[in-house]
Amino acid sequence: MELSLLSFVQIIIACLLIIGLMVGNAVIMVYIERKAAGFIQRRPGPYEVGPRGTIQAICDAMKLLGKQLFIPGNVDWALYFLAPVLAFLPVLVLFLPIPFGKYLTTLQVDDGILLILAFAGLGVISNILAGWASNNKYGLLGAARAVAQSVAYEIPMIMALLAVVFLTGSLNLTAIVERQGTWPWEWNIAYQPLACFIYFVSLVGETNRAPFDLPEAESELTAGFHTEYSGMGFALFFLSEYANMLLVSFVCATFFLGGYRGPILDGFWWTFIKAYAVMCVIVWLRWTFPRVRFDQLLNINWKWLLPLSILNLWVTAIIIKFID
Amino acid sequence: MFKAIIDNLKGLYSLLVGLFITGDFFLSPQKTTHYPRKVDDPETLKSYRGPLELVPADNYGNGKCISCQMCVRACPGHCLTVTKGDKGKEPKVYLYDFTLCCLCAACVESCPTGAIRFSHKVYMVAPTREALHLDLIADLKSRATKIDPMGTKAARLKVAKAEAEAAKAKADAEDAAKAKAGPAGSAGAPA
Ligand code: SF4
Ligand code: SF4
């Protein structure tokens, strides 16, 4: 891939669009999340600000921007400020290889999924830094949990994605989408249901969402690793959390749900519809299940997801070998 | 091993059931009342324990209380002050401190004439503590003027007079309480 001026400009524009997407996504998801929480608990949710509470999330964001940046004593200054930035920046890179549409990819790289998996690891580092730098026992405990959890859940996640890569014979996300058909039974979810399930469970664990939100378990750790962050620091963590959610949903849509291919008219709208459907399921899970205990969390991973994903990979490899 | 697998599959199924329950809730109508725009059906508030109120004996603001002090003694929080009137058995003062009340109903159960009950005032706002020191006789009278089918001027005058009397009695009671507290305090100081 040669880096011409044109592709450089293209990447800059795409990055700006992606930042817009991330911010817009956070605003929309906060609204969806709170409304869903309300409806599931049979109450109206946000209602007062704007028609049916639609601008509630924007007002919350404004409030967050206007808040005092409170820095507790004895923090490690450099790391304390580095952590939220480090949480936010890699997410930008993660979106680069995602094929929103057939020609709507920021950066056509042959090892797209490798890029995503490699940079996704940086998110954990930001959590550790935040927990460590804020000189707070809850922050540190949250950070420790984040490490154990993310490291554990990354493995079955990669295994599940690998099964699809075996099937396609390519790490390029566009190629993976192209191999899938337009109808749901031609998508990878039909060929790899177990991998899809494993990926889905580990994406919930990987993004620290309930029922696996132990690094920020409010009832135990006040807010976990971002306890000591206020104002913009907190906003950046918040933004990156939702952006991460969006990213794993996009990857899920690309790998298992046929990406931009759909029954009627192929296009980027299918990617978005599918990704947001996955997000809605994640929200649904959050308001249904209670938080698991930490040993349960790791048991689910090491005793179930990991063996299952290895088994799935073996079976896939053997079948591919025989068919070929 | 196999048992563990079966158990886990059952667990997975139960998760699915849980999802369906919340999904069902998501789609079913809401249970909450959007307060300033809607209020609850009074029928549903029948079991709500609001602050105490006197049970009216008739439409003219008369209660059933015979000033027997049973409720005052039964109350664990010392919320009630009942003073017998000069003529007859009716109380002239019936003060109730809602800030101390635990809504235990000991007073309601101990009353021989069934003169007190819980009101169903859900939408109650008190800007100060003092606003929760309630005068139940005045409250009874105020309700009587509303229910009174013969809401004539004479009846209203009568009520107003009774209210004035009640207010005066309350002031008297407070004076008396102060007078009682005063000497006790001065007597206690040297000792
Ligand atoms: S409900 Fe209980 S606490 Fe309240 S006034 Fe009656 S006896 Fe006292
Ligand atoms: S127990 Fe009943 S009748 Fe006796 S003073 Fe109390 S309210 Fe009046």
Side-chain angles (χ1 to χ4, degrees):
Chain A
M1 184 194 68
E2 81 288 6
L3 261 184
S4 64
L5 186 66
L6 188 68
S7 67
F8 185 69
V9 170
Q10 184 192 340
I11 287 174
I12 297 286
I13 291 174
C15 280
L16 291 178
L17 285 179
I18 286 168
I19 290 178
L21 175 67
M22 279 160 74
V23 174
N25 168 63
V27 168
I28 294 169
M29 278 317 288
V30 167
Y31 182 69
I32 291 181
E33 179 122 38
R34 292 182 60 178
K35 271 289 184 195
F39 284 151
I40 282 174
Q41 292 160 5
R42 306 191 70 176
R43 55 188 174 81
Y47 200 88
E48 295 297 330
V49 192
R52 303 233 139 223
T54 32
I55 56 171
Q56 176 78 50
I58 298 171
C59 293
D60 285 352
M62 288 295 141
K63 186 204 78 175
L64 218 50
L65 287 180
K67 262 181 138 176
Q68 181 194 3
L69 210 54
F70 183 80
I71 301 153
N74 295 330
V75 299
D76 189 327
W77 272 70
L79 297 185
Y80 183 81
F81 285 111
L82 188 64
V85 179
L86 206 59
F88 182 75
L89 278 186
V91 184
L92 208 58
V93 181
L94 297 180
F95 277 96
L96 293 185
I98 299 278
F100 295 105
K102 190 163 185 177
Y103 305 105
L104 213 61
T105 314
T106 316
L107 199 61
Q108 275 291 0
V109 274
D110 284 343
D111 307 335
I113 190 60
L114 216 55
L115 184 73
I116 290 178
L117 290 173
F119 275 90
L122 277 181
V124 193
I125 294 185
S126 78
N127 290 2
I128 307 171
L129 287 187
W132 175 257
S134 54
N135 190 28
N136 175 313
K137 59 185 169 195
Y138 297 121
L140 194 58
L141 277 174
R145 286 179 175 193
V147 178
Q149 179 174 341
S150 296
V151 167
Y153 273 83
E154 226 155 60
I155 302 169
M157 191 172 189
I158 294 174
M159 296 279 191
L161 294 180
L162 260 188
V164 173
V165 171
F166 276 16
L167 219 59
T168 316
S170 168
L171 287 165
N172 188 329
L173 292 172
T174 313
I176 287 168
V177 175
E178 282 300 317
R179 200 204 149 272
Q180 301 175 63
T182 49
W183 294 97
W185 55 88
E186 296 168 326
W187 297 344
N188 278 337
I189 186 171
Y191 297 103
Q192 290 283 351
L194 186 60
C196 183
F197 178 73
I198 291 169
Y199 177 77
F200 188 75
V201 175
S202 21
L203 82 78
V204 177
E206 185 71 16
T207 49
N208 302 337
R209 294 277 307 180
F212 300 147
D213 58 344
L214 282 122
E216 39 196 285
E218 306 88 0
S219 48
E220 303 149 31
L221 302 179
T222 48
F225 60 86
H226 61 69
T227 306
E228 296 290 3
Y229 284 87
S230 60
M232 269 322 280
F234 171 72
L236 280 182
F237 275 120
F238 197 72
L239 212 60
S240 69
E241 189 189 317
Y242 275 102
N244 264 319
M245 230 173 106
L246 184 66
L247 175 93
V248 290
S249 306
F250 271 128
V251 173
C252 189
T254 311
F255 266 74
F256 296 103
L257 304 178
Y260 52 79
R261 314 205 62 177
I264 298 170
L265 199 62
D266 287 1
F268 67 90
W269 41 87
W270 282 112
T271 327
F272 277 84
I273 290 172
K274 287 165 185 169
Y276 274 90
V278 175
M279 298 258 261
C280 288
V281 176
I282 299 176
V283 169
W284 186 10
L285 287 183
R286 170 169 179 187
W287 296 106
T288 304
F289 300 137
R291 184 178 302 127
V292 297
R293 235 171 32 229
F294 202 72
D295 59 320
Q296 292 169 335
L297 173 93
L298 291 183
N299 274 350
I300 292 172
N301 179 62
W302 296 115
K303 289 191 182 167
W304 289 100
L305 295 184
L306 189 60
L308 275 180
S309 59
I310 293 177
L311 196 72
N312 185 52
L313 207 57
W314 272 349
V315 173
T316 313
I318 290 169
I319 290 177
I320 288 174
K321 195 74 199 163
F322 275 113
I323 287 178
D324 283 356
Chain B
M1 172 75 185
F2 280 112
K3 193 173 170 297
I5 291 176
I6 300 275
D7 278 355
N8 278 281
L9 284 180
K10 272 187 193 158
L12 215 56
Y13 173 71
S14 78
L15 292 184
L16 215 60
V17 172
L19 275 181
F20 275 111
I21 290 173
T22 45
D24 187 27
F25 277 11
F26 185 88
L27 298 175
S28 41
Q30 283 152 20
K31 289 276 193 191
T32 52
T33 309
H34 206 99
Y35 167 56
R37 303 189 181 87
K38 273 188 274 170
V39 289
D40 271 327
D41 178 9
E43 196 62 29
T44 61
L45 297 178
K46 284 279 167 64
S47 58
Y48 181 79
R49 282 186 178 185
L52 286 178
E53 66 183 13
L54 291 174
V55 178
D58 53 29
N59 286 336
Y60 296 96
N62 295 315
K64 297 184 190 169
C65 178
I66 53 172
S67 312
C68 70
Q69 308 288 337
M70 291 310 286
C71 54
V72 179
R73 287 181 197 202
C75 175
H78 306 297
C79 322
L80 300 167
T81 312
V82 182
T83 313
K84 191 172 154 302
D86 299 327
K87 336 194 249 317
K89 293 175 183 167
E90 294 91 54
K92 68 176 176 196
V93 180
Y94 200 121
L95 297 180
Y96 166 51
D97 188 347
F98 189 45
T99 56
L100 299 177
C101 180
C102 60
L103 300 165
C104 65
C107 53
V108 176
E109 276 164 24
S110 66
C111 179
T113 58
I116 40 179
R117 67 181 178 204
F118 288 112
S119 66
H120 312 305
K121 291 175 189 157
V122 196
Y123 312 111
M124 203 172 121
V125 175
T128 58
R129 252 160 212 268
E130 282 64 39
L132 292 175
H133 298 178
L134 305 171
D135 181 346
L136 294 193
I137 293 182
D139 171 59
L140 182 68
K141 304 275 184 213
S142 72
R143 274 181 292 136
T145 47
K146 276 175 200 151
I147 308 166
D148 192 355
M150 303 182 294
T152 56
K153 197 179 170 193
R156 260 183 256 127
L157 273 179
K158 194 176 139 197
V159 169
K161 205 174 136 206
E163 258 172 16
E165 265 173 26
K168 191 161 162 280
K170 188 179 162 188
D172 283 351
E174 272 166 13
D175 281 350
K178 266 190 209 135
K180 221 170 91 187
S186 55

